[in-house]
Amino acid sequence: MQEDNFDDLDFYEPDKEGAFHIEVDFYDTGELSSMLVIPCNEAYIVVSNNEHLCTLVHTCKEVECWEQQDGTLDDELVERIGTGIQSARPEDF
């Protein structure tokens, strides 16, 4: 019987720089919207329903310090998405 050598195998480790999903309740209705977030340098590209929703940049250490570079969301929705990003990837902040 051949002995298994696991030292030679590469196990998958999640890419900390890769895309991830968040869920946000936009209007306090209890309905969560699922979004794909793609980190790109200092920006976060947010995709919902296979369409670009917005591009956000975190400008300071506070939760409300999110700036929308591309998109047409109001400030409250930007803050909610930003909070979702920070909750999913606290090590980035």
Side-chain angles (χ1 to χ4, degrees):
M1 178 176 224
Q2 181 180 352
E3 184 177 320
D4 292 328
N5 186 354
F6 293 110
D7 293 335
D8 295 336
L9 299 177
D10 290 327
F11 291 98
Y12 171 76
E13 290 186 30
D15 183 4
K16 291 184 179 182
E17 297 298 318
F20 57 96
H21 286 90
I22 62 171
E23 291 185 331
V24 176
D25 181 359
F26 281 125
Y27 304 105
D28 292 326
T29 61
E31 292 183 37
L32 297 175
S33 297
S34 180
M35 288 164 264
L36 175 68
V37 180
I38 306 162
C40 182
N41 298 324
E42 298 298 316
Y44 293 86
I45 300 166
V46 182
V47 177
S48 179
N49 295 324
N50 292 328
E51 293 186 21
H52 176 257
L53 184 62
C54 62
T55 301
L56 302 181
V57 175
H58 196 244
T59 57
C60 71
K61 296 287 183 190
E62 300 301 319
V63 173
E64 59 274 351
C65 291
W66 286 92
E67 179 181 304
Q68 186 172 200
Q69 288 188 331
D70 189 17
T72 58
L73 300 177
D74 66 33
D75 290 341
E76 183 179 345
L77 297 181
V78 168
E79 186 176 322
R80 288 177 189 242
I81 293 171
T83 300
I85 292 170
Q86 283 181 273
S87 296
R89 298 287 283 276
E91 67 274 5
D92 288 356
F93 303 98

